[in-house]
Amino acid sequence: MRNESLNSDSIKGLETVEDLNGLFEKTKYIADSQIAMAVFLALKLRKPLLVEGDPGCGKTEIAKVLSEGLGTRLIRLQCYEGLDANSTIYEWDYMRQLIHIKIEEEKKSPDELEQEIFSERFLLKRALLDTVLDEGKLPPVLLIDEIDRADEEFEGFLLELLAEFQVTVPELGTFKAKHRPIIIITSNHTRELGDGLRRRCLYLNISYPSFEKELAIVKLKVPGVEEKLAEDVVSAVEKIRSAEDVFRKPGTSETLDWAAALQVLEQSRLTPQVAKETLSCILKYSDEISAFTEERLKSILAETRS
C-alpha cells in the first residue's frame, strides 16, 4: 500500500491564463475566455473540472489537449450504465491467483497463501487506481467521460477520489496519489448529477460555438479548405442545428467531418445537390436526413449567403 503526500507544486510553464492559451494554440484547440479561465483555475487550485454541454462541443478535447500539451499521460474512463467499482478501480487476477495456490498450497499455510494472493502482485489496475498509482514526473490527466451515462450510485464511488485523491481497496487499504491528478469530468446533461459530485468540482458549461469560433476551428483543423466552402459549411450546420426536426444536433466534430469530406470531393462551394449527397456526415438518423430535401437545402444555403 502506498500513502504518499500530494505534490503541491504548480505545473511549470502555466503561471497565467496567457500561458494556458499558448498551450491551447500549440495543440490547435480554440478556447474562448470562459473555457481558458475555468481550466486555468482548475489547474491552479488543483480541483476536478466538471464540463457540461451538448455533445460534440469539445468537452472531451479539453482533456486530450491538456495531456498532449503538458506531455503527460491521458487515462480515460468511458462511462456507461452499470459501471461499478470493479470496472473502474480494481479487479483481482483470479486465474493467476488460482495458479499460485495450486503451486504453493503444499508449501504454505492457508493464511500465508491468502496474504500472498491478496497483494498488489495479483491486482489488476483499472482507470481510477491506475491514476492514483501513476509514477510519472507530471500528474496524469484523468478523463471521466460522459458521467451522466453511468448510474447515480457510481458517483458515490468517485467522491473519495475527487475529495482526497485516493482510492480504497478493501483487502489492501488506501492508496493516495503521489501527484494530485488533473481530473476532467464530462457530462452531456442527459440526467441531473448529484450535489456531492458538483461540490467537489469547478464547473464549466460549453454550448455550440458561435459562427466565428466554429469557422476558425474549421480553418484550423481542415488545412487548405476554401474560405467560401468553410463559410458555407458552418452556416449550413448552424441552420440545421436550429431546425426543430433535428433531434441529435451535429457537433463541431461533425462540422469538421463535413468540411473534410467536401474538400476530398474537391468542392469550392456547397451546392444543394452535394449537400444532400453528403448530409450523412452531420446527421446520423435516416428520418432526419430524409427531412432535408434538396429543395430545403437550397433554401438554407440561400439564407446563409444572403
Side-chain angles (χ1 to χ4, degrees):
M1 183 183 71
R2 189 179 72 182
N3 188 9
E4 302 179 20
S5 60
L6 295 173
N7 187 336
S8 60
D9 292 340
S10 60
I11 297 172
K12 293 180 180 179
L14 291 182
E15 302 304 323
T16 66
V17 177
E18 287 70 27
D19 292 335
L20 179 61
N21 280 325
L23 183 149
F24 283 143
E25 289 177 13
K26 183 176 70 173
T27 52
K28 296 185 177 181
Y29 183 82
I30 296 179
D32 56 31
S33 58
Q34 180 189 18
I35 293 174
M37 182 58 74
V39 174
F40 177 74
L41 291 176
L43 292 173
K44 295 298 283 186
L45 298 175
R46 306 192 308 282
K47 290 181 68 70
L49 179 64
L50 171 60
V51 188
E52 277 192 318
D54 298 303
C57 289
K59 302 184 297 296
T60 298
E61 198 68 16
I62 291 174
K64 292 180 178 179
V65 300
L66 282 176
S67 172
E68 180 184 346
L70 295 172
T72 189
R73 285 182 69 201
L74 174 66
I75 300 172
R76 182 170 184 169
L77 173 60
Q78 180 62 52
C79 297
Y80 54 87
E81 187 177 353
L83 198 61
D84 58 17
N86 285 346
S87 305
T88 60
I89 300 177
Y90 75 101
E91 288 185 85
W92 291 109
D93 192 338
Y94 296 117
M95 185 59 66
R96 289 185 62 225
Q97 286 175 322
L98 287 172
I99 292 171
H100 183 76
I101 291 171
K102 289 280 188 183
I103 294 172
E104 301 290 337
E105 61 183 346
E106 294 183 1
K107 306 174 187 176
K108 297 178 180 177
S109 69
D111 287 342
E112 287 175 322
L113 278 174
E114 183 178 358
Q115 187 173 10
E116 286 183 359
I117 64 172
F118 290 111
S119 63
E120 287 190 48
R121 175 184 173 187
F122 297 98
L123 197 63
L124 296 175
K125 297 181 292 184
R126 300 309 181 202
L128 302 187
L129 184 59
D130 191 21
T131 300
V132 167
L133 294 179
D134 184 82
E135 294 286 351
K137 293 182 179 179
L138 288 173
V141 176
L142 172 63
L143 169 62
I144 302 175
D145 210 13
E146 297 184 317
I147 191 172
D148 50 323
R149 291 182 179 271
D151 302 324
E152 292 180 23
E153 291 77 7
F154 173 66
E155 292 180 32
F157 290 125
L158 287 179
L159 298 186
E160 182 183 17
L161 175 68
L162 299 181
E164 307 295 336
F165 298 93
Q166 65 184 33
V167 295
T168 298
V169 177
E171 297 88 346
L172 297 176
T174 298
F175 293 82
K176 199 173 186 70
K178 177 181 178 181
H179 298 285
R180 186 171 294 193
I182 299 166
I183 301 177
I184 306 294
I185 305 172
T186 73
S187 168
N188 293 329
H189 212 359
T190 59
R191 70 169 177 84
E192 190 60 43
L193 302 179
D195 289 340
L197 184 142
R198 289 185 180 275
R199 282 197 303 270
R200 288 163 172 79
C201 302
L202 296 186
Y203 180 75
L204 171 64
N205 184 73
I206 298 181
S207 58
Y208 293 115
S210 64
F211 173 85
E212 291 77 13
K213 181 178 177 180
E214 193 159 23
L215 180 60
I217 293 170
V218 169
K219 290 162 71 174
L220 182 66
K221 295 285 190 178
V222 188
V225 66
E226 295 278 352
E227 177 82 22
K228 290 297 184 182
L229 177 62
E231 291 177 0
D232 288 348
V233 168
V234 174
S235 296
V237 170
E238 200 172 55
K239 292 289 184 182
I240 291 170
R241 270 192 201 126
S242 64
E244 293 183 359
D245 52 351
V246 174
F247 173 72
R248 185 191 179 281
K249 311 294 184 184
T252 305
S253 57
E254 281 93 1
T255 306
L256 293 172
D257 287 343
W258 204 13
L262 294 167
Q263 188 181 46
V264 166
L265 296 172
E266 300 182 344
Q267 301 296 306
S268 58
R269 297 298 301 265
L270 184 58
T271 66
Q273 179 184 353
V274 173
K276 179 62 179 176
E277 291 172 349
T278 57
L279 204 56
S280 60
C281 290
I282 61 168
L283 297 179
K284 310 300 179 180
Y285 291 95
S286 58
D287 55 342
E288 291 180 348
I289 293 174
S290 300
F292 284 88
T293 62
E294 198 169 314
E295 191 64 29
R296 185 177 177 184
L297 289 167
K298 182 178 179 180
S299 175
I300 286 173
L301 291 172
E303 283 183 51
T304 64
R305 293 167 185 168
S306 61

